Coordinates of all heavy atoms in Angstrom, one line a residue:
M738 N 51.9 134.5 87.2 CA 51.8 133.3 86.4 C 52.1 132.1 87.3 O 53.1 132.1 88.0 CB 52.8 133.4 85.2 CG 52.8 132.2 84.3 SD 54.0 132.6 83.0 CE 54.2 131.0 82.3
A739 N 51.3 131.1 87.2 CA 51.5 129.9 88.1 C 52.5 129.0 87.5 O 52.7 128.9 86.3 CB 50.1 129.2 88.2
H740 N 53.3 128.4 88.4 CA 54.3 127.4 87.9 C 53.7 126.1 87.7 O 52.8 125.7 88.5 CB 55.4 127.3 89.0 CG 56.2 128.5 89.2 ND1 56.6 129.3 88.1 CD2 56.8 129.1 90.2 CE1 57.3 130.3 88.5 NE2 57.4 130.2 89.8
A741 N 54.1 125.4 86.7 CA 53.5 124.1 86.4 C 54.1 123.0 87.3 O 53.5 122.0 87.4 CB 53.8 123.7 84.9
Q742 N 55.2 123.3 87.9 CA 55.9 122.3 88.8 C 55.8 122.8 90.2 O 55.9 124.0 90.5 CB 57.3 122.1 88.4 CG 57.5 121.5 87.0 CD 58.9 121.3 86.7 OE1 59.7 122.1 87.1 NE2 59.3 120.3 86.0
N743 N 55.8 121.8 91.1 CA 55.9 122.2 92.5 C 57.4 122.5 92.8 O 58.3 122.1 92.1 CB 55.5 121.0 93.4 CG 54.1 120.6 93.3 OD1 53.3 121.5 93.0 ND2 53.7 119.4 93.5
S744 N 57.6 123.3 93.8 CA 59.0 123.7 94.1 C 59.8 122.5 94.6 O 61.0 122.5 94.5 CB 59.0 124.8 95.2 OG 58.4 124.3 96.4
T745 N 59.1 121.4 95.1 CA 59.9 120.3 95.5 C 60.3 119.3 94.4 O 61.1 118.5 94.6 CB 59.0 119.4 96.5 OG1 57.8 119.1 95.9 CG2 58.7 120.2 97.8
E746 N 59.7 119.5 93.2 CA 60.1 118.7 92.1 C 60.7 119.5 91.0 O 60.1 120.4 90.5 CB 58.9 117.9 91.5 CG 57.9 118.6 90.7 CD 56.8 117.8 90.1 OE1 56.1 117.2 90.9 OE2 56.7 117.6 88.9
T747 N 62.0 119.3 90.8 CA 62.7 120.0 89.8 C 63.0 119.1 88.6 O 63.5 118.0 88.8 CB 64.0 120.6 90.4 OG1 63.7 121.4 91.5 CG2 64.8 121.4 89.4
S748 N 62.7 119.7 87.4 CA 63.0 118.9 86.2 C 64.4 118.6 86.0 O 65.3 119.3 86.4 CB 62.5 119.8 85.0 OG 63.0 119.3 83.8
A749 N 64.7 117.4 85.5 CA 66.1 117.0 85.2 C 66.7 117.9 84.2 O 67.9 118.2 84.2 CB 66.1 115.5 84.7
W750 N 65.8 118.4 83.3 CA 66.3 119.4 82.3 C 66.8 120.7 83.0 O 67.9 121.2 82.6 CB 65.2 119.8 81.3 CG 64.7 118.6 80.5 CD1 63.4 118.1 80.7 CD2 65.3 117.8 79.5 NE1 63.3 117.0 79.8 CE2 64.4 116.9 79.1 CE3 66.6 117.9 78.9 CZ2 64.7 116.0 78.1 CZ3 66.9 117.0 77.9 CH2 65.9 116.0 77.5
L751 N 66.1 121.1 84.0 CA 66.5 122.3 84.7 C 67.8 122.1 85.5 O 68.7 123.0 85.5 CB 65.4 122.9 85.6 CG 64.2 123.4 84.9 CD1 63.1 123.8 85.9 CD2 64.6 124.6 84.0
L752 N 67.9 120.9 86.1 CA 69.1 120.6 86.8 C 70.3 120.6 85.9 O 71.4 121.1 86.2 CB 69.0 119.3 87.5 CG 68.0 119.3 88.7 CD1 67.8 117.9 89.2 CD2 68.4 120.2 89.8
Q753 N 70.1 120.0 84.7 CA 71.2 119.9 83.7 C 71.6 121.3 83.2 O 72.8 121.6 83.1 CB 70.8 119.0 82.6 CG 72.0 118.7 81.7 CD 71.7 117.6 80.7 OE1 70.5 117.2 80.5 NE2 72.7 117.1 80.0
A754 N 70.6 122.1 83.0 CA 70.8 123.5 82.6 C 71.6 124.3 83.6 O 72.6 125.0 83.3 CB 69.5 124.2 82.3
K755 N 71.3 124.1 84.9 CA 72.0 124.7 86.0 C 73.5 124.3 85.9 O 74.4 125.1 86.1 CB 71.4 124.3 87.3 CG 72.1 124.9 88.5 CD 71.4 124.5 89.8 CE 72.1 125.0 91.0 NZ 71.5 124.4 92.2
D756 N 73.8 123.0 85.7 CA 75.1 122.5 85.6 C 75.9 123.1 84.5 O 77.1 123.5 84.6 CB 75.2 121.0 85.5 CG 74.7 120.3 86.7 OD1 74.7 120.9 87.8 OD2 74.4 119.1 86.6
F757 N 75.2 123.3 83.3 CA 75.9 123.9 82.2 C 76.2 125.4 82.5 O 77.3 125.8 82.1 CB 75.0 123.8 80.9 CG 75.1 122.5 80.2 CD1 74.3 121.4 80.5 CD2 76.0 122.4 79.1 CE1 74.5 120.2 79.8 CE2 76.2 121.2 78.4 CZ 75.4 120.1 78.7
L758 N 75.3 126.1 83.1 CA 75.5 127.5 83.4 C 76.7 127.6 84.4 O 77.5 128.5 84.3 CB 74.3 128.1 84.0 CG 73.2 128.5 82.9 CD1 72.0 129.0 83.6 CD2 73.7 129.5 81.9
H759 N 76.7 126.7 85.4 CA 77.8 126.7 86.4 C 79.1 126.6 85.7 O 80.1 127.3 86.0 CB 77.5 125.7 87.4 CG 78.6 125.6 88.5 ND1 78.7 126.6 89.5 CD2 79.6 124.7 88.7 CE1 79.7 126.3 90.2 NE2 80.3 125.1 89.8
E760 N 79.2 125.6 84.8 CA 80.4 125.4 84.1 C 80.8 126.6 83.2 O 81.9 126.9 83.1 CB 80.3 124.1 83.2 CG 81.5 123.7 82.5 CD 82.7 123.4 83.4 OE1 82.5 122.9 84.5 OE2 83.9 123.6 82.9
A761 N 79.8 127.2 82.5 CA 80.0 128.3 81.7 C 80.6 129.5 82.5 O 81.5 130.2 82.0 CB 78.7 128.8 81.0
R762 N 80.1 129.7 83.7 CA 80.6 130.8 84.5 C 82.1 130.6 84.9 O 82.8 131.6 85.2 CB 79.8 130.9 85.8 CG 78.4 131.5 85.5 CD 77.7 131.7 86.8 NE 76.3 132.0 86.5 CZ 75.3 131.2 86.7 NH1 75.4 130.0 87.2 NH2 74.0 131.6 86.3
R763 N 82.6 129.4 84.9 CA 84.0 129.1 85.2 C 84.9 129.4 84.1 O 86.1 129.5 84.3 CB 84.1 127.6 85.7 CG 83.2 127.3 86.8 CD 83.2 125.8 87.1 NE 84.1 125.6 88.3 CZ 84.8 124.5 88.5 NH1 84.8 123.5 87.7 NH2 85.5 124.5 89.6
L764 N 84.4 129.5 82.9 CA 85.2 129.7 81.7 C 85.3 131.2 81.4 O 84.5 132.0 81.8 CB 84.6 129.0 80.5 CG 84.4 127.5 80.5 CD1 83.7 127.0 79.3 CD2 85.8 126.9 80.6
K765 N 86.4 131.5 80.7 CA 86.6 132.9 80.2 C 85.6 133.1 79.1 O 85.3 132.2 78.4 CB 88.0 133.1 79.8 CG 89.0 133.1 80.9 CD 90.4 133.3 80.4 CE 91.4 133.3 81.6 NZ 92.8 133.5 81.1
P766 N 85.2 134.4 78.8 CA 84.4 134.6 77.7 C 85.0 134.1 76.4 O 86.2 134.2 76.1 CB 84.3 136.1 77.6 CG 84.5 136.6 79.0 CD 85.5 135.6 79.6
G767 N 84.1 133.5 75.6 CA 84.6 132.9 74.3 C 83.5 131.9 73.8 O 82.4 131.8 74.3
P768 N 83.9 131.3 72.7 CA 82.9 130.4 72.0 C 82.4 129.2 72.9 O 81.2 128.9 72.8 CB 83.7 129.8 70.8 CG 84.9 130.7 70.7 CD 85.1 131.4 72.0
K769 N 83.3 128.6 73.6 CA 82.9 127.5 74.5 C 81.9 127.9 75.5 O 80.9 127.3 75.8 CB 84.1 126.8 75.1 CG 83.8 125.6 76.0 CD 83.3 124.5 75.2 CE 83.1 123.3 76.1 NZ 82.4 122.2 75.5
R770 N 82.2 129.1 76.2 CA 81.3 129.6 77.2 C 79.9 129.9 76.5 O 78.9 129.6 77.1 CB 81.9 130.8 77.8 CG 81.0 131.4 78.9 CD 81.7 132.6 79.5 NE 80.9 133.2 80.6 CZ 81.2 134.1 81.4 NH1 82.4 134.7 81.2 NH2 80.5 134.6 82.3
N771 N 79.9 130.5 75.4 CA 78.7 130.9 74.7 C 77.9 129.6 74.3 O 76.7 129.6 74.5 CB 79.0 131.7 73.4 CG 79.5 133.1 73.7 OD1 79.4 133.5 74.9 ND2 80.1 133.7 72.8
E772 N 78.6 128.6 73.9 CA 77.9 127.3 73.6 C 77.2 126.7 74.8 O 76.1 126.2 74.7 CB 79.0 126.3 73.0 CG 78.4 125.0 72.5 CD 79.4 124.1 72.0 OE1 80.4 124.6 71.4 OE2 79.2 122.9 72.2
L773 N 77.9 126.7 75.9 CA 77.3 126.2 77.1 C 76.1 127.0 77.6 O 75.1 126.4 78.0 CB 78.3 126.2 78.3 CG 79.4 125.1 78.2 CD1 80.5 125.3 79.2 CD2 78.9 123.7 78.2
R774 N 76.2 128.3 77.4 CA 75.0 129.2 77.8 C 73.8 128.9 76.8 O 72.7 128.9 77.3 CB 75.4 130.6 77.8 CG 76.4 130.9 78.9 CD 76.9 132.4 78.8 NE 75.8 133.2 79.2 CZ 75.6 134.4 78.8 NH1 76.4 135.0 77.9 NH2 74.6 135.2 79.2
E775 N 74.1 128.7 75.6 CA 73.0 128.5 74.6 C 72.4 127.1 74.9 O 71.2 126.9 74.8 CB 73.6 128.5 73.2 CG 73.9 129.9 72.7 CD 74.6 129.9 71.4 OE1 74.7 128.9 70.7 OE2 75.1 131.0 71.0
T776 N 73.2 126.1 75.2 CA 72.7 124.8 75.5 C 71.8 124.9 76.8 O 70.7 124.3 76.8 CB 73.9 123.8 75.8 OG1 74.7 123.8 74.6 CG2 73.4 122.4 76.1
A777 N 72.2 125.6 77.8 CA 71.4 125.8 79.0 C 70.1 126.4 78.6 O 69.0 126.0 79.2 CB 72.2 126.6 80.0
Q778 N 70.1 127.4 77.7 CA 68.9 128.1 77.3 C 67.9 127.1 76.6 O 66.7 127.1 76.9 CB 69.2 129.2 76.4 CG 68.0 130.0 76.0 CD 68.4 131.2 75.1 OE1 69.5 131.4 74.7 NE2 67.4 132.0 74.7
V779 N 68.4 126.2 75.8 CA 67.6 125.2 75.1 C 67.0 124.2 76.1 O 65.9 123.8 76.1 CB 68.4 124.5 74.0 CG1 67.7 123.2 73.5 CG2 68.8 125.4 72.9
L780 N 67.9 123.8 77.1 CA 67.4 122.9 78.1 C 66.3 123.5 79.0 O 65.3 122.8 79.3 CB 68.5 122.5 79.1 CG 69.6 121.6 78.4 CD1 70.8 121.4 79.3 CD2 69.0 120.2 78.1
R781 N 66.4 124.8 79.3 CA 65.3 125.5 80.0 C 64.0 125.5 79.2 O 62.9 125.4 79.7 CB 65.7 126.9 80.4 CG 66.7 126.9 81.5 CD 67.0 128.3 82.1 NE 67.3 129.3 81.1 CZ 68.5 129.7 80.7 NH1 69.5 129.2 81.3 NH2 68.7 130.6 79.8
E782 N 64.1 125.7 77.9 CA 63.0 125.7 77.0 C 62.3 124.3 77.0 O 61.1 124.2 77.0 CB 63.4 126.2 75.6 CG 62.2 126.4 74.7 CD 61.2 127.4 75.1 OE1 61.6 128.4 75.7 OE2 60.0 127.3 74.7
I783 N 63.1 123.3 76.9 CA 62.6 121.9 76.9 C 61.9 121.7 78.2 O 60.8 121.1 78.2 CB 63.7 120.9 76.7 CG1 64.3 121.0 75.3 CG2 63.2 119.5 77.0 CD1 65.5 120.2 75.1
A784 N 62.4 122.1 79.3 CA 61.8 122.0 80.6 C 60.4 122.7 80.7 O 59.4 122.2 81.2 CB 62.7 122.5 81.7
K785 N 60.4 123.9 80.1 CA 59.1 124.6 80.0 C 58.1 123.9 79.2 O 56.9 123.8 79.6 CB 59.4 126.0 79.3 CG 58.8 127.2 80.1 CD 58.9 128.4 79.3 CE 60.3 129.0 79.2 NZ 60.3 130.3 78.6
L786 N 58.5 123.3 78.1 CA 57.5 122.6 77.2 C 57.1 121.3 77.9 O 55.9 120.9 77.9 CB 58.2 122.2 75.9 CG 58.5 123.4 75.0 CD1 59.3 123.0 73.8 CD2 57.2 124.1 74.5
E787 N 58.0 120.6 78.6 CA 57.7 119.4 79.3 C 56.7 119.7 80.4 O 55.7 119.0 80.6 CB 58.9 118.8 79.9 CG 58.7 117.5 80.6 CD 60.0 117.0 81.2 OE1 60.6 117.6 82.1 OE2 60.3 115.8 80.8
A788 N 56.9 120.8 81.2 CA 56.0 121.2 82.2 C 54.6 121.5 81.7 O 53.6 121.1 82.3 CB 56.5 122.4 83.0
A789 N 54.5 122.2 80.6 CA 53.2 122.5 79.9 C 52.5 121.3 79.5 O 51.3 121.1 79.7 CB 53.5 123.5 78.8
A790 N 53.3 120.3 78.9 CA 52.6 119.1 78.5 C 52.1 118.3 79.7 O 51.0 117.7 79.6 CB 53.6 118.2 77.7
S791 N 52.9 118.2 80.7 CA 52.5 117.5 82.0 C 51.2 118.2 82.5 O 50.3 117.5 83.0 CB 53.6 117.6 83.0 OG 53.2 117.0 84.2
S792 N 51.2 119.5 82.6 CA 50.0 120.2 83.1 C 48.8 119.9 82.2 O 47.7 119.7 82.8 CB 50.3 121.7 83.1 OG 49.2 122.4 83.5
A793 N 49.0 119.8 80.9 CA 47.9 119.5 80.0 C 47.4 118.1 80.2 O 46.2 117.9 80.2 CB 48.3 119.7 78.6
R794 N 48.3 117.2 80.5 CA 47.9 115.8 80.7 C 47.1 115.7 82.0 O 46.1 115.0 82.1 CB 49.1 114.9 80.8 CG 49.7 114.5 79.4 CD 50.7 113.4 79.5 NE 51.8 113.7 80.4 CZ 53.0 114.3 80.0 NH1 53.2 114.6 78.7 NH2 53.9 114.5 80.9
K795 N 47.5 116.4 83.0 CA 46.8 116.3 84.3 C 45.4 116.9 84.2 O 44.5 116.4 84.7 CB 47.6 117.1 85.4 CG 48.8 116.4 85.9 CD 49.6 117.2 86.9 CE 50.9 116.6 87.2 NZ 51.7 117.4 88.1
R796 N 45.3 118.0 83.4 CA 44.1 118.7 83.2 C 43.1 117.8 82.4 O 41.9 117.6 82.8 CB 44.3 120.0 82.4 CG 43.2 121.0 82.4 CD 43.5 122.3 81.8 NE 44.3 122.2 80.6 CZ 45.5 122.6 80.4 NH1 46.2 123.1 81.4 NH2 46.2 122.5 79.2
D797 N 43.7 117.1 81.4 CA 42.8 116.1 80.6 C 42.4 115.0 81.5 O 41.2 114.5 81.3 CB 43.6 115.6 79.4 CG 43.8 116.6 78.4 OD1 43.2 117.7 78.4 OD2 44.7 116.4 77.5
R798 N 43.2 114.5 82.4 CA 42.8 113.4 83.3 C 41.7 113.8 84.2 O 40.8 113.0 84.5 CB 44.0 112.9 84.1 CG 44.9 112.0 83.4 CD 46.0 111.4 84.3 NE 47.2 111.4 83.6 CZ 48.4 111.8 84.1 NH1 48.4 112.3 85.3 NH2 49.5 111.8 83.4
R799 N 41.8 115.0 84.7 CA 40.7 115.5 85.6 C 39.4 115.7 84.9 O 38.3 115.3 85.4 CB 41.1 116.9 86.2 CG 42.1 116.8 87.3 CD 42.2 118.1 88.0 NE 42.8 119.1 87.2 CZ 44.0 119.7 87.3 NH1 44.7 119.4 88.3 NH2 44.4 120.6 86.4
R800 N 39.5 116.1 83.6 CA 38.2 116.2 82.8 C 37.6 114.9 82.5 O 36.4 114.7 82.4 CB 38.5 116.9 81.5 CG 38.8 118.4 81.7 CD 39.0 119.1 80.4 NE 39.4 120.5 80.6 CZ 39.9 121.3 79.7 NH1 40.2 120.8 78.5 NH2 40.2 122.5 80.0
A801 N 38.5 113.8 82.3 CA 38.0 112.5 82.0 C 37.4 111.8 83.1 O 36.6 110.9 83.0 CB 39.2 111.7 81.4
S802 N 37.7 112.2 84.3 CA 37.2 111.6 85.6 C 35.7 111.9 85.8 O 35.1 112.8 85.4 CB 38.0 112.0 86.8 OG 39.3 111.7 86.7

């Protein structure tokens, strides 16, 4: 499966998700850790949707040219 983003451009959503996961790993298991992990999962999903939308916009621009 092709990635919608270049390896040199990382979504702000993915960077934020990484920060949340890093913080979650520092905590002992419990509700706060679970909440951070769930938030990171949502941010990764947003990044995926954003990448798909960006890819679709680029594809549409190429067709319009």
Side-chain angles (χ1 to χ4, degrees):
M738 181 174 166
H740 292 321
Q742 294 180 327
N743 295 333
S744 60
T745 57
E746 78 177 62
T747 303
S748 165
W750 300 109
L751 291 177
L752 292 173
Q753 192 172 9
K755 180 181 174 185
D756 290 342
F757 274 89
L758 285 175
H759 180 71
E760 183 63 29
R762 287 184 190 109
R763 303 172 103 210
L764 298 174
K765 292 180 181 179
K769 180 66 176 170
R770 183 178 182 175
N771 292 343
E772 182 180 327
L773 288 172
R774 292 177 72 213
E775 289 173 11
T776 301
Q778 184 177 3
V779 169
L780 290 171
R781 286 192 307 264
E782 185 63 29
I783 290 170
K785 229 191 284 188
L786 294 170
E787 181 182 61
S791 175
S792 178
R794 283 192 301 269
K795 287 177 186 176
R796 198 172 42 247
D797 289 346
R798 279 190 222 130
R799 282 191 295 246
R800 287 181 185 164
S802 297

